Amino acid sequence: MKDKIFRYALLIASCLIILLTAGIIYGLISRSIGAFSEFGFFGFITSSEWDSRNDVYGALPFIAGTMVTSILALLFCIPFSLSVALFNGEYFRNKKVSTFVSSVVDLLAGIPSIVYGLWGFYTLRPLLITMGVNDQGFGILLSSIVLAIMIIPYASSLSTEFISMVPNELKEAAYSLGATNLEVISSVSLPVAGSGIFASYVLAFGRALGETMAVTMLIGNTVNIPASLSDTGNSMASIIANQFGEASGLKLSSLMAIGLLLFLITACINFVAKYIMKMVNK
């Protein structure tokens, strides 16, 4: 009897998750129809014009800003997060120093995004101005650096877990054949934990795509497609945060359409990542 109750409880929880996702999709689509009807789906995502006075809206600058900052953040994140993962999961596994580093990484994961935004504004922005990146310091580079710091804890923590799960028998076999520590990591640990590490970076990338407050404070909030790291721009999340409160009519529908596009981009990235992981594990 208890097994049946537990099984039904799990079934209900699973169905609620599906219904919740369906409800989110329905809500976004129903509120976005006005924009897609007015501009067309492809017309909306390929237009770079955002004119509130004339009620003409396009999502291309925000899609570009989101993808550029997120990809750059992931590229900045990879060397640092992988180094931390190897430090905690391989070289100093179960040591006091590893426990301390893991605690610091977990602390970084718990810091609110607005705190990262304030730190980037008052600490990194003057540094970029001094370096001559641009006159005000805002832009793609600043937001990407802060985003990278924000997603390092997610990527490194999960990667550490997967690296530490590599069977010791495989490592000992490699050591018995005369392999060095570096050779064991490159030939055993990373290949075995590769799919898990890849999944951790997909999760970190998804976190970067949806970040709102820090990016809103640092990206510059201009409606243009960034052509260089020193350019300002806007992300899909930041344009919604900036203009949602005052939006109505077609503008509100356009913002909801941008939210739907952000949802679809995140979903597509996750589906592609799962497919790649499935192919790798075969």
Side-chain angles (χ1 to χ4, degrees), residues 51-213:
D51 188 354
S52 300
R53 293 182 178 179
N54 298 316
D55 256 358
V56 178
Y57 304 104
L60 185 59
F62 316 118
I63 296 174
T66 299
M67 297 306 296
V68 170
T69 52
S70 299
I71 292 173
L72 281 175
L74 185 63
L75 292 177
F76 293 153
C77 162
I78 288 175
F80 295 100
S81 59
L82 187 58
S83 300
V84 172
L86 291 173
F87 182 92
N88 290 332
E90 188 69 36
Y91 281 96
F92 294 93
R93 183 180 176 184
N94 298 326
K95 301 289 181 63
K96 290 184 178 181
V97 64
S98 174
T99 303
F100 175 76
V101 173
S102 298
S103 299
V104 173
V105 170
D106 293 339
L107 177 63
L108 289 175
I111 296 176
S113 61
I114 194 168
V115 176
Y116 279 107
L118 290 171
W119 176 75
F121 184 91
Y122 287 108
T123 304
L124 289 182
R125 187 178 67 89
L127 184 61
L128 293 181
I129 294 174
T130 303
M131 294 172 60
V133 174
N134 57 34
D135 293 337
Q136 296 182 332
F138 297 111
I140 298 299
L141 181 60
L142 178 60
S143 57
S144 297
I145 292 173
V146 174
L147 265 182
I149 297 171
M150 293 178 67
I151 65 176
I152 282 175
Y154 298 91
S156 62
S157 295
L158 285 174
S159 297
T160 300
E161 292 298 321
F162 288 114
I163 290 173
S164 62
M165 290 169 59
V166 176
N168 287 327
E169 292 80 3
L170 295 177
K171 300 178 185 178
E172 291 171 359
Y175 284 126
S176 67
L177 293 174
T180 63
N181 203 355
L182 180 60
E183 290 172 338
V184 170
I185 291 173
S186 60
S187 302
V188 178
S189 297
L190 291 181
V192 173
S195 60
I197 295 173
F198 178 77
S200 69
Y201 286 116
V202 172
L203 178 64
F205 186 61
R207 174 73 177 82
L209 286 172
E211 173 53 37
T212 304
M213 287 309 301

